[in-house]
């Protein structure tokens, strides 16, 4: 027979003992005592350690101390074990409900004094807001009970065990349990008591639970109150002071709904809250009420009668040092940052967050899809055989999880959809969860992406659907098959609102083509937007062997199984730095759209409910990036969903410079999330007069040459450039390789450019197969003419018959040095290329190249399918700041459509490059960094990059797009770079 600890750990039962029913997380004036702080702690390698520590008189003097809340694997520099990262894999054998005997088990103890006067409390309750994964509780040696559900709240009745004066609470936490099979989310496994522990005195005649539902309809509020309390608690009084409401209910049957005139609605854009209290003679509960009505009407998801478009983020609770331990100041800053980047919605992937986060969401304004703590993704390996989602033995565990999710957070107006969980297959237990939610809350819809056929959910949800498939879902009358649906099921799903619960996988450099999805939302009303995966990287701050700090990912802690850097997939880096992808997202989803039409601009307000009275509109005119005029633009207040045509200001056009008009919509006053002047939306219009591109003077009279000469600022030896403007330089050499992005390494998703891609094989693998990272050169000819030098080379890789012919022509044109490079691939190339560029290596010497100034697109990096955040102007940067320190080094730093580029050293210009467009008007981009693409591709972390003694300038005729193929669609065909002939034309002078 198995030992008692083994059977207890492997029991799917969600809780035992004096565990109380789920209820709201309430702000109450009932006495409470935080037990957060320093606890005594010991760690055992198995679940079978003696339970001697629970005794009142046990001596824990030899134990360590650990803070609560915390994760024990993030304490003691590895002394208590290490984090484990998996995405789909279970880090233990798939043998449900059993887990191994090797089961790290943490024992906690602390003393507390019962406050004077608590002897009068009717009940004393001990609340745990989050413990991973299974825990058992003792008070003063009495076994109280146990509970599972790591991100859920559990309350225990400890009335009969507490005593006046000193008390001892003991907790045993097992890292693995049957519950672990239900918590296989894409995240770090981080055991411990990681949320608050609170002792609560429940007064006689107190209010056990409250649910205030506040609907809205055309200026009228509808209030429905559910009070859970004993008869002795009555009379109960509801007060809404700002609305002049005071309702007294003498008995429970007296509690009734009522209407209020003149209320202002709550929305994510205008999060209007009213303070409310519900009181008995012995307890007052405080709430903030938001009046809003959620409904599905046909295939539209509406709040207050208006269609909602989710510009959302999947948000894990993650911090590089604290893990999932909540810090309110950081959380508020995080949500304010979301607002500044035009994010209006949060999916709480894949569990309820700390309850205070939802208070902040109510206050700052977000649409929230609140997700249950449930994922069984590891069963995918078994083709879902044995998945608990369809096993009756697990039903109570599933129902307990959804009950605790809904009951805890039902009072929040920000919560507009309940989600059953994520990637748990499908089955009768999920259907039972949905039925319970529908019975408990008839207003808010139920979401679960895994219900592909729509049998028990109210919205149609998918993840990582391609642009084409998403369009087919939105198109009325489309008969295109839907994933895992019969034709009839597909037709049913098309009658529901559709949202992408995950899309645009934001791993590393990317994602691309966000604007393609956004365009669909405005063309097809059934499509309600979606949630980017995800908000932030989950790096854990640690140190390299030499002491260098870095952000660790899967495998960095010696895990037996792990999923590498797949945990680094956010639009925010682990250190809170916004990525260029986040700036791109902000630009794509901006709530005000500008459409230029002749001498007018059409200003469209895309918001849900807010007009533009909180905005003012500014314009400026620049000539070649230099400001020449600016002012305010008069725009009448535009209601949500409306537009206005506004005359453009008179723009002075320069005949010899590019003329750009920029319009910004900015905040007219400070808000809780941004200051006055914060840019909400922006657009640019090119007003430039046509200008002819300088025509290169033909060069004739070529003769073979040894290639050692000087042309203007360039010096050559044997046909190779050795110096520019007195600086040592090597190049230009053909560069077709880029350090693969995470999307380049991805193999998932549809292959849009199927004749140049292979399903299941990454682009990066094909590039390495074709030797793009190890090209060699064979010089074919060197020729000279008066004031000119021409070389022709063949570039190819070992064990490949594919090649590229490169003709390089240097000449003096109008007294300036011009470089023209003609790039011609051979026949037979079958892959897309990462880039078509030329590289200059610039050794440091006495004055290293350490910065750049440019006129072109900026300020952030940009790529063919990620240009919406880029604007034309003049910018400057250090070499270091040109690159983004992605957790895994990869392609970064490209600036598109450069017109002029100056390389700087210690603030002085040392080289100046002017680009000339090719015959199709295309201008090159540039990348300037301290490492070659080959160096970057070899490193797993930034600290592994080698010491550099050179800067490297790559001028790209073209770059391949970014896409989202790390977990989603490939690069859209329009932005895929096929092998093709290209011309790069530059004029180079000394700084």
């Amino acid at each position: 027979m198995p030992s008692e600890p083994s059977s207890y750990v492997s029991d799917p039962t969600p809780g035992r003992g004096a565990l109380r029913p789920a209820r709201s997380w309430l702000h109450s004036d009932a006495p409470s005592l935080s037990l957060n702080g320093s606890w005594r702690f010991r760690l055992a390698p198995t679940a079978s350690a003696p339970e001697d520590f629970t005794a009142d008189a046990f001596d824990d003097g030899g134990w360590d101390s650990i803070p609560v809340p915390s994760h024990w694997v993030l304490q003691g520099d590895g002394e208590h074990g290490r984090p484990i990262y998996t995405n789909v894999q279970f880090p233990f054998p798939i043998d449900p409900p059993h887990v191994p005997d090797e089961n790290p088990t943490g024992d906690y103890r602390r003393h507390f004094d019962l406050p004077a006067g608590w002897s009068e409390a009717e009940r004393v309750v001990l609340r745990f807001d989050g413990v991973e994964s299974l825990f058992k509780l003792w008070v003063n040696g009495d076994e109280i009970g146990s509970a599972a559900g790591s991100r859920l709240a559990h309350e225990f009745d400890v009335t009969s065990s507490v005593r006046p004066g000193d008390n001892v609470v003991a907790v045993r936490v097992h890292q693995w349990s049957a519950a672990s099979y239900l918590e296989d989310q894409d995240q770090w496994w981080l055991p411990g008591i990681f949320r608050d522990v609170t002792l609560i005195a429940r007064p006689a005649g107190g209010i056990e639970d409250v649910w205030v539902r506040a609907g809205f309809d055309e200026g009228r509020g509808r209030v429905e109150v559910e009070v859970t309390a004993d008869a002795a608690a009555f009379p109960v009084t509801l007060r809404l002071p700002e609305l002049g409401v005071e309702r007294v209910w003498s008995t429970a049957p007296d509690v009734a709904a009522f209407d209020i005139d003149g209320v202002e609605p709550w929305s994510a854009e205008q999060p209007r809250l009213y303070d409310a209290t519900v009181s008995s003679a012995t307890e007052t509960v405080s709430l903030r009420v938001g009046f809003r009505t959620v409904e599905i009407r046909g295939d539209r998801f509406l709040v207050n009668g208006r269609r909602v478009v989710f510009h959302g983020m999947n948000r894990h609770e993650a911090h590089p040092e604290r893990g999932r331990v909540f810090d309110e100041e950081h959380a508020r800053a995080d949500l304010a940052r979301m607002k500044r980047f035009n994010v209006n919605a949060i999916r709480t992937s894949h569990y309820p967050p700390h309850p205070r986060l939802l208070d902040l969401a109510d206050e700052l304004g977000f649409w929230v899809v609140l997700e249950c703590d449930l994922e069984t993704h590891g069963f995918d390996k078994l083709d879902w055989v044995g998945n608990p989602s369809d096993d009756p033995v697990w039903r109570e565990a599933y129902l307990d999880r959804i009950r605790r999710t809904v009951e805890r957070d039902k009072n929040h107006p920000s919560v507009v959809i309940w989600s059953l969980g994520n990637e748990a297959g499908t089955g009768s237990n999920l259907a039972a969860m949905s039925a319970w939610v529908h019975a408990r809350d008839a207003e808010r819809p139920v979401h679960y992406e895994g219900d592909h056929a729509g049998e028990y959910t109210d919205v149609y949800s998918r993840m990582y659907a391609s642009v084409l498939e998403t369009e087919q879902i939105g198109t009325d009358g489309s008969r295109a098959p839907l994933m895992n649906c019969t034709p009839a099921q597909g037709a049913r799903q098309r009658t529901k609102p559709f949202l992408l619960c995950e899309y645009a996988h934001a791993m590393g450099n990317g994602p691309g083509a966000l604007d393609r999805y956004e365009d669909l939302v405005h063309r097809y009303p059934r499509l309600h937007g979606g949630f980017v995966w995800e908000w932030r990287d989950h790096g854990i701050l640690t140190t390299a062997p030499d002491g260098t700090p870095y952000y660790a990912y899967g495998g960095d802690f010696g895990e037996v199984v792990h999923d590498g850097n797949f945990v680094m997939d956010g639009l925010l880096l682990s250190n809170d730095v916004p990525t260029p992808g986040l700036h791109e997202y902000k630009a794509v989803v901006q709530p005000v759209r500008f459409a230029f039409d002749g001498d007018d601009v059409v200003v469209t307000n895309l918001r849900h409910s807010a007009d533009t009275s909180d905005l003012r509109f500014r314009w400026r005119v620049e000539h070649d990036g230099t400001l020449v005029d600016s002012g305010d633009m008069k725009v009448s207040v535009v209601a949500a969903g409306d537009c206005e045509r506004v005359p453009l200001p008179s723009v002075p056009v320069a005949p010899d410079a590019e003329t750009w008009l920029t319009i910004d919509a900015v905040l007219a006053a400070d808000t809780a999330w941004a200051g006055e002047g914060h840019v909400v939306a922006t657009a640019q219009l090119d007003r430039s007069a046509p200008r002819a591109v300088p025509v290169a003077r033909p060069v004739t009279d070529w003769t073979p040459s040894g290639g050692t000469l000087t042309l203007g600022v360039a010096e050559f030896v044997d046909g190779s450039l050795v110096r520019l403007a007195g600086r040592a330089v090597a190049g230009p050499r053909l560069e077709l390789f880029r350090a693969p992005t995470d999307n380049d390494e991805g193999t998932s998703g549809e292959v849009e450019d199927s004749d140049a891609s292979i399903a299941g094989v990454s682009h990066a693998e094909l590039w390495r197969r074709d030797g793009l990272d190890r090209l060699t050169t064979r010089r074919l000819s060197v020729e000279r003419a008066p004031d000119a030098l021409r070389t022709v080379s063949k570039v190819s890789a070992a064990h490949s018959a594919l090649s590229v012919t490169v003709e390089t022509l240097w000449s003096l044109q109008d007294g300036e040095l011009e470089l023209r490079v003609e790039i011609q691939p051979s026949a037979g190339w079958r892959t897309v290329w990462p880039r078509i560029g030329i590289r200059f290596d610039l050794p440091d010497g006495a004055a290293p190249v350490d910065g750049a100034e440019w006129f072109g697109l900026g300020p952030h990096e940009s790529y063919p399918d990620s240009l919406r955040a880029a604007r034309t102007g003049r910018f400057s940067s250090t070499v270091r700041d040109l690159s983004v320190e992605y957790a895994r080094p990869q392609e970064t730093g490209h600036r598109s459509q450069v017109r002029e580029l100056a390389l700087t050293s210690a603030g002085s210009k040392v080289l100046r490059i002017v680009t000339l467009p090719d015959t199709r008007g295309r201008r090159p981009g540039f990348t300037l960094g301290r490492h070659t693409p080959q160096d970057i591709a070899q490193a797993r972390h930034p600290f592994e990059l080698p010491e550099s003694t050179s800067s490297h300038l790559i001028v790209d005729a073209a770059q391949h797009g970014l896409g989202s193929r790390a977990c989603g669609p490939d690069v859209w065909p329009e932005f895929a770079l096929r092998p093709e002939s290209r011309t790069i034309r530059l004029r180079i002078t000394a700084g």
Side-chain angles (χ1 to χ4, degrees):
M1 294 291 291
S3 65
E4 192 279 332
S6 176
S7 62
Y8 152 70
V9 169
S10 298
D11 186 348
T13 303
R16 297 177 177 179
L19 187 62
R20 306 180 82 235
R23 66 184 184 119
S24 301
W25 191 82
L26 297 170
H27 297 272
S28 166
D29 66 354
S32 65
L33 175 68
S34 172
L35 297 189
N36 292 352
S38 180
W39 290 52
R40 305 298 282 170
F41 178 79
R42 73 175 179 189
L43 184 66
T46 73
S48 300
E51 294 180 349
D52 55 344
F53 77 103
T54 66
D56 209 356
F58 180 83
D59 182 6
D60 58 19
W63 288 20
D64 295 332
S65 293
I66 195 171
V68 169
S70 73
H71 304 280
W72 71 62
V73 293
L74 297 184
Q75 302 295 316
D77 194 24
E79 181 181 352
H80 306 306
R82 292 291 195 180
I84 299 170
Y85 166 62
T86 62
N87 169 28
V88 177
Q89 303 178 83
F90 285 118
F92 45 79
I94 307 175
D95 182 25
H98 307 291
V99 292
D101 294 337
E102 295 88 350
N103 186 355
T105 296
D107 291 334
Y108 294 77
R109 279 174 56 92
R110 73 156 288 167
H111 290 256
F112 67 88
D113 287 329
L114 193 71
W118 278 35
S119 58
E120 299 176 5
E122 182 178 57
R123 315 302 306 167
V124 177
V125 172
L126 187 54
R127 181 182 182 99
F128 293 82
D129 280 306
V131 183
E132 183 175 332
S133 73
L134 169 70
F135 70 103
K136 187 186 288 188
L137 170 67
W138 295 261
V139 174
N140 295 325
D142 297 339
E143 182 175 328
I144 304 300
S146 64
S150 297
R151 272 68 67 175
L152 304 169
H154 298 89
E155 291 183 338
F156 295 88
D157 189 332
V158 297
T159 309
S160 61
S161 297
V162 294
R163 63 197 177 201
D166 181 62
N167 292 260
V168 179
V169 58
V171 182
R172 168 160 285 184
V173 180
H174 304 286
Q175 176 157 12
W176 311 125
S177 68
S180 302
Y181 286 100
L182 308 185
E183 296 175 4
D184 189 31
Q185 291 99 334
D186 177 6
Q187 61 179 354
W188 294 97
W189 298 86
L190 298 173
I193 305 174
F194 68 94
R195 286 186 185 158
D196 307 292
V197 181
T198 310
L199 195 70
I200 305 167
R202 298 294 309 131
I207 298 170
E208 182 65 17
D209 201 0
V210 170
W211 185 4
V212 178
R213 285 177 274 195
F216 179 81
D217 184 15
E218 298 297 332
R220 171 170 288 197
R222 175 81 172 168
V223 178
E224 299 178 58
V225 180
E226 176 184 288
V227 178
T228 304
D230 291 338
F234 288 84
V236 168
T237 303
L238 168 70
R239 294 182 177 89
L240 284 158
E242 195 173 352
L243 295 172
V245 172
E246 181 170 320
R247 293 285 174 119
V248 180
W249 295 302
S250 298
T251 65
D254 294 336
V255 179
F258 60 92
D259 294 336
I260 314 173
D261 289 328
V263 303
E264 298 175 41
W266 184 97
S267 72
E269 294 163 357
Q270 297 172 306
R272 180 67 161 94
L273 295 170
Y274 293 88
D275 290 332
T277 59
V278 178
S279 304
S280 70
T282 60
E283 182 178 15
T284 296
V285 172
S286 300
L287 307 96
R288 293 188 299 181
V289 173
F291 289 87
R292 59 102 184 94
T293 295
V294 177
E295 64 177 318
I296 290 177
R297 194 181 302 162
D299 61 359
R300 308 289 197 272
F301 176 81
L302 310 176
V303 175
N304 298 334
R306 297 185 65 87
R307 172 175 171 261
V308 172
V309 174
F310 296 99
H311 292 130
M313 293 287 155
N314 282 278
R315 181 189 182 275
H316 269 292
E317 290 189 308
H319 186 274
E321 296 173 89
R322 296 188 299 271
R324 281 188 286 279
V325 175
F326 182 76
D327 177 86
E328 183 163 335
E329 181 179 358
H330 185 260
R332 181 181 288 275
D334 214 32
L335 267 58
R337 186 182 295 111
M338 284 186 177
K339 296 285 285 190
R340 292 195 295 273
F341 281 91
N342 292 332
V343 176
N344 72 3
I346 297 169
R347 178 181 178 223
T348 68
S349 54
H350 300 292
Y351 43 83
H354 189 283
R356 274 293 290 159
L357 186 95
L358 297 172
D359 285 343
L360 298 178
D362 293 342
E363 174 188 325
L364 294 172
F366 290 92
W367 312 116
V368 174
V369 175
L370 189 68
E371 199 142 83
C372 185
D373 188 6
L374 176 64
E375 181 166 337
T376 67
H377 206 170
F379 286 93
D380 183 49
K381 178 181 176 63
L382 308 181
D383 199 24
W384 299 102
V385 173
N387 181 23
S389 295
D390 202 34
D391 184 345
V393 171
W394 295 82
R395 181 158 301 174
E396 181 54 33
Y398 277 61
L399 289 171
D400 181 73
R401 286 171 182 261
I402 195 63
R403 283 194 294 260
R404 293 187 181 280
T405 297
V406 172
E407 297 293 357
R408 193 197 74 170
D409 298 326
K410 56 185 176 283
N411 281 295
H412 291 283
S414 58
V415 176
V416 293
I417 294 177
W418 300 114
S419 180
L420 304 180
N422 185 67
E423 293 176 321
T426 189
S428 60
N429 293 339
L430 288 155
M433 294 169 74
S434 178
W436 183 89
V437 176
H438 284 119
R440 182 69 177 115
D441 182 3
E443 180 188 28
R444 284 177 277 211
V446 172
H447 164 275
Y448 175 65
E449 185 270 344
D451 180 28
H452 297 144
E455 295 176 348
Y456 48 84
T457 48
D458 303 307
V459 297
Y460 182 32
S461 175
R462 287 284 307 283
M463 53 177 67
Y464 308 110
S466 69
V467 172
L468 178 59
E469 185 183 6
T470 303
E471 182 174 22
Q472 291 170 340
I473 292 169
T475 302
D476 287 339
S478 172
R479 295 189 176 183
L482 300 184
M483 188 180 75
N484 296 335
C485 285
T486 66
Q489 291 167 339
R492 176 173 61 189
Q493 290 294 62
R494 284 191 172 90
T495 66
K496 301 177 181 178
F498 176 78
L499 62 85
L500 285 160
C501 66
E502 295 177 22
Y503 82 112
H505 191 263
M507 189 174 181
N509 190 345
L514 287 168
D515 52 349
R516 298 289 165 132
Y517 287 99
E518 181 67 13
D519 289 346
L520 295 179
V521 166
H522 301 291
R523 288 166 52 196
Y524 302 101
R526 180 179 303 131
L527 308 181
H528 288 73
F531 298 81
V532 170
W533 187 267
E534 63 175 301
W535 172 239
R536 67 162 59 242
D537 283 359
H538 297 205
I540 292 179
L541 186 62
T542 188
T543 55
D546 65 356
T548 302
Y550 75 99
Y551 294 98
Y553 50 74
D556 288 336
F557 297 107
E559 299 101 310
V560 175
V561 296
H562 63 85
D563 286 300
N565 70 316
F566 209 70
V567 75
M568 305 298 227
D569 47 11
L571 288 176
L572 199 68
L573 299 181
S574 299
N575 60 355
D576 293 346
V577 173
T579 64
L582 184 53
H583 288 275
E584 179 76 1
Y585 181 85
K586 174 187 177 181
V588 167
V589 305
Q590 62 186 29
V592 177
R593 177 185 291 169
F594 303 98
F596 296 104
D597 183 14
D599 292 328
D600 295 338
V601 60
V602 178
V603 179
T604 302
N605 179 4
L606 298 174
R607 291 164 155 181
H608 171 267
S609 48
D611 62 30
T612 59
S613 59
D614 62 327
L615 304 176
R616 59 188 178 91
F617 295 83
R618 304 184 309 201
W619 61 268
R620 65 182 181 277
V621 176
E622 293 164 314
H623 289 163
D624 277 355
T626 300
L627 182 66
V628 294
D629 201 1
S630 64
D632 291 331
M633 191 166 69
K634 292 184 178 180
V635 180
S636 301
V637 173
V638 183
D642 286 350
C643 61
E644 181 184 0
R645 180 177 290 270
V646 182
L648 290 171
S650 177
V651 175
V653 177
D656 57 348
E658 291 188 34
T659 300
W660 286 88
L661 169 67
T662 303
I663 299 176
D664 293 327
V666 304
L667 290 178
D670 292 345
T671 69
W673 47 269
E676 177 186 357
H678 166 76
V679 176
V680 172
T682 190
Q684 277 193 316
L685 175 64
D686 186 356
R687 289 292 216 183
S688 306
R691 285 190 293 168
V693 176
V695 178
R697 175 172 52 83
V699 180
T700 57
D701 301 327
W702 293 104
T703 59
S705 169
T708 299
L709 72 158
T710 297
L711 285 175
V713 298
E715 301 175 38
F716 302 88
V717 174
D718 296 333
S720 297
L721 178 69
V722 295
R723 298 183 76 79
L724 271 174
R727 298 184 59 86
V729 178
R733 57 160 289 172
L734 178 69
E735 189 62 85
L736 300 180
F737 185 65
R738 71 184 186 194
T741 66
D742 291 306
N743 290 314
D744 294 336
E745 295 281 11
T747 61
S748 68
E750 297 182 17
V751 177
E752 304 281 7
D753 198 16
S754 57
D755 62 340
S757 305
I758 300 175
V761 180
S762 73
H763 290 308
E765 185 176 340
L766 298 175
W767 298 339
R768 289 186 289 261
R769 179 200 68 184
D770 288 345
L772 299 189
D773 56 338
R774 48 186 170 83
L775 297 175
T776 61
T777 301
R778 180 167 68 87
R779 181 70 54 79
L780 301 180
S781 64
V782 180
E783 296 176 299
R784 182 176 178 179
D787 295 334
L789 175 70
R790 179 171 65 187
T791 64
V792 179
S793 300
K794 184 177 183 179
V795 180
S796 53
H799 198 58
S800 175
L802 303 171
S803 64
V804 180
T805 301
V806 180
E807 178 185 17
T808 303
L809 174 61
W810 297 87
S811 62
L812 291 177
Q813 301 279 344
D814 305 322
E816 291 186 332
L817 180 67
E818 180 168 311
L819 167 63
R820 189 173 82 241
V821 181
E822 301 285 355
I823 299 165
Q824 174 67 53
S826 68
W829 291 93
R830 295 291 299 163
T831 66
V832 293
W833 276 355
R835 72 181 344 136
I836 303 174
I838 53 174
R839 192 179 93 204
F840 298 87
D841 300 325
L842 307 160
D844 287 348
V849 170
D850 58 13
E853 299 176 7
W854 74 98
F855 174 42
L857 291 187
H860 309 288
E861 66 185 23
S862 56
Y863 293 83
D865 54 356
S866 182
L867 289 170
R868 293 283 286 271
R871 60 180 176 85
T872 302
R874 287 197 177 271
F875 309 96
S876 64
S877 175
T878 64
V879 169
R880 177 181 178 87
D881 290 342
L882 283 168
S883 300
V884 178
E885 194 168 277
Y886 295 109
R888 184 187 70 80
Q890 56 195 273
E891 162 67 26
T892 179
H894 180 75
R895 266 67 177 179
S896 306
Q897 300 176 26
V898 63
R899 281 80 158 165
E900 300 173 17
L901 171 65
L903 305 184
T904 62
S905 178
S908 298
K909 297 178 182 178
V910 294
L911 278 176
R912 182 173 178 268
I913 300 172
V914 174
T915 73
L916 300 174
D918 66 11
T919 55
R920 292 174 56 184
R922 299 173 296 189
R923 291 185 183 270
F926 81 94
T927 303
L928 179 65
R930 295 293 292 173
H931 297 93
T932 67
Q934 291 76 13
D935 290 336
I936 297 170
Q938 294 300 312
R940 293 181 63 249
H941 302 91
F943 73 84
E944 295 171 331
L945 290 166
E947 289 294 324
S948 174
T949 58
S950 299
S951 294
H952 305 277
L953 171 66
I954 303 177
V955 178
D956 286 316
Q959 276 254 4
H960 185 57
L962 298 174
S964 188
R965 203 181 178 197
C967 185
D970 200 355
V971 174
W972 189 254
E974 179 182 340
F975 307 117
L977 179 57
R978 299 168 179 272
E980 62 184 27
S981 299
R982 282 295 190 122
T983 300
I984 295 175
R985 193 174 164 205
L986 312 174
R987 288 197 170 178
I988 305 172
T989 58

